[in-house]
Amino acid sequence: MSSAQKMPKKSSNWLFYGVAVPLTILVTGIVSSSWWIWASAAPSNFGAKIRLTISDGMPTQAIAQELESAGVIRSALALRLWVTWQSLRSSESIALRSGTYDFATNQSLPEVVAQIQTAKSSEVRFTIPEGWSIAQMASLFEEQGFFAAKDFVIAAQRISPKRRTWLPDDIPSLEGFLFPDTYQILPSEATPDRIIDLMLNRFEEVALPLYQDNQSGNPKVKISLKDWVTLASIVEKEAVIESERQIISGVFWNRIKKNMRLESDPTVEYGLNIRQTPENPLTLDQVRTASPYNTYLNEGLPPGAIASVGLASLKATLDPATTDYLFFVAKFDGSHVFSRTFEEHEKALQAIDKKIQKKIPKQ
């Protein structure tokens, strides 16, 4: 075949690359644009409400699929592409925050993502630290505008078998059984009883199995549920440094075995509703003031717990350190000096008192 006969074929190749390929790119772009316009648009013109909870640690892909399945967005793929594009444009990581949200079906995809990123959750969060009392919790709830503090205190004093069958029937309040943690709740549901239910549920999930498993086996110490929570609450208030928690538990168990009074300052503070500081320690008159919770005057454990108890103190109470210590005194840095005899304890008290006096500015 001659070279003149091959020319038309070369022209057809140029025609293909010059017309067909650009046309394909144009069509793809139009289709892609049309798809994005559809995928990022609101699923509906009507603002129907859809409530959805995004759990902690939920990956973006799972969140996107959840939103698509619930009808909040049209395309899970579109959401992932939108978040990826945001991340490429920003030097900061783009986070989708956990929470319970009320979405509207007339929200566009960017609006839905913005709501989750700015944590405009329908729920409010509150955190109860370890060692807090019911009175402290009540003050927090009042400050956050949930309800009056006195309403929570009253609700926490209602002990009923209907509340939880496993609750001891001889406790003065729910002190110690309201598990310290971070919680989420809808503002409309933030009532004293609802919050108490949440906290009791967490105790039942986290603390109760620990106690039941321990006591059903070959426990290091045998103790009732009420006494466990009560003693653990004292350990919670006394222990500041994690490494001392089991030692402090061991001291109290040693004193119980020897029929010695616990002589714990936090029990006096709880009974009198006061708080001591290194500069203003308990006075002799306060220690001698009668109270059912005063373990300097009363033998054994107080009538109930004196604070909320974290898992570490609950564990330490069931697994006390094996030691012959019978006394301890707090230093101003949160640590303690442990002693075997009263004479050693007296010397430790005097040494710490001198250091504290040196730190107090002279008038």
Side-chain angles (χ1 to χ4, degrees):
M1 199 178 274
S2 68
S3 59
Q5 291 176 309
K6 295 180 181 179
M7 291 300 292
K9 189 173 183 180
K10 186 179 288 188
S11 298
S12 64
N13 288 343
W14 281 109
L15 180 65
F16 174 78
Y17 288 110
V19 178
V21 172
L23 184 60
T24 302
I25 294 173
L26 178 61
V27 171
T28 302
I30 293 172
V31 171
S32 297
S33 297
S34 299
W35 176 84
W36 176 254
I37 292 171
W38 170 84
S40 62
S44 169
N45 292 326
F46 303 100
K49 296 293 184 182
I50 297 175
R51 177 166 293 165
L52 199 65
T53 297
I54 296 174
S55 306
D56 284 329
M58 200 171 181
T60 300
Q61 184 173 352
I63 294 173
Q65 194 57 57
E66 192 80 17
L67 290 168
E68 181 185 328
S69 299
V72 177
I73 60 174
R74 288 181 169 181
S75 168
L77 174 60
L79 184 140
R80 299 202 305 273
L81 291 172
W82 179 254
V83 172
T84 301
W85 182 73
Q86 284 185 312
S87 299
L88 292 173
R89 292 182 62 209
S90 174
S91 57
E92 301 178 0
S93 61
I94 304 299
L96 299 179
R97 304 179 185 278
S98 61
T100 297
Y101 299 89
D102 283 326
F103 298 106
T105 54
N106 60 353
Q107 286 178 280
S108 67
L109 184 144
E111 289 173 333
V112 170
V113 173
Q115 182 177 349
I116 303 172
Q117 288 172 341
T118 54
K120 294 179 181 177
S121 172
S122 301
E123 289 190 338
V124 292
R125 288 191 178 198
F126 64 89
T127 298
I128 302 300
E130 296 167 351
W132 267 29
S133 66
I134 286 173
Q136 288 174 295
M137 298 177 202
S139 295
L140 172 70
F141 297 138
E142 184 169 278
E143 289 169 7
Q144 293 196 350
F146 289 178
F147 40 72
K150 62 180 179 62
D151 293 341
F152 185 77
V153 173
I154 292 171
Q157 291 172 341
R158 288 199 291 267
I159 311 300
S160 167
K162 293 181 180 178
R163 200 145 228 175
R164 292 295 184 282
T165 56
W166 49 263
L167 276 172
D169 56 9
D170 56 345
I171 52 177
S173 73
L174 294 172
E175 193 80 87
F177 293 93
L178 303 180
F179 198 78
D181 208 335
T182 296
Y183 296 89
Q184 289 186 177
I185 191 169
L186 291 166
S188 59
E189 296 178 0
T191 65
D193 285 324
R194 176 61 181 141
I195 288 177
I196 286 172
D197 282 341
L198 285 175
M199 300 181 78
L200 287 176
N201 285 345
R202 194 64 52 88
F203 184 95
E204 188 172 345
E205 293 168 1
V206 177
L208 193 60
L210 170 67
Y211 172 77
Q212 292 171 334
D213 291 346
N214 177 274
Q215 295 294 291
S216 63
N218 186 23
K220 194 172 185 178
V221 291
K222 195 71 178 175
I223 190 170
S224 69
L225 177 61
K226 175 191 172 183
D227 288 350
W228 174 53
V229 173
T230 300
L231 182 55
S233 73
I234 300 174
V235 172
E236 185 70 69
K237 295 297 290 183
E238 293 278 16
V240 176
I241 298 175
E242 183 62 35
S243 60
E244 293 185 349
R245 206 178 297 271
Q246 285 179 284
I247 302 174
I248 289 173
S249 172
V251 171
F252 285 134
W253 275 109
N254 288 343
R255 294 180 73 91
I256 290 172
K257 291 172 184 176
K258 291 180 177 291
N259 293 318
M260 298 173 67
R261 294 187 180 93
L262 296 185
E263 298 184 353
S264 170
D265 286 3
T267 63
V268 177
E269 296 175 63
Y270 185 83
L272 299 179
N273 193 26
I274 59 175
R275 183 179 180 185
Q276 68 171 329
T277 64
E279 296 75 21
N280 295 291
L282 290 175
T283 65
L284 192 58
D285 285 343
Q286 288 171 332
V287 172
R288 289 176 175 173
T289 300
S291 162
Y293 288 87
N294 189 329
T295 54
Y296 280 92
L297 301 179
N298 306 315
E299 296 180 354
L301 293 167
I306 61 172
S308 61
V309 194
L311 201 57
S313 291
L314 290 167
K315 288 179 177 178
T317 304
L318 294 174
D319 186 24
T322 302
T323 174
D324 52 0
Y325 292 134
L326 291 171
F327 305 89
F328 62 84
V329 57
K331 295 193 287 186
F332 48 82
D333 63 353
S335 64
H336 294 79
V337 176
F338 296 90
S339 304
R340 295 172 177 81
T341 66
F342 183 73
E343 290 74 19
E344 290 177 2
H345 182 56
E346 280 288 295
K347 290 179 181 179
L349 281 169
Q350 292 170 9
I352 291 171
D353 187 57
K354 285 181 182 179
K355 289 184 178 180
I356 291 174
Q357 292 303 321
K358 287 180 180 179
K359 286 181 171 288
I360 299 175
K362 294 182 180 180
Q363 300 295 326

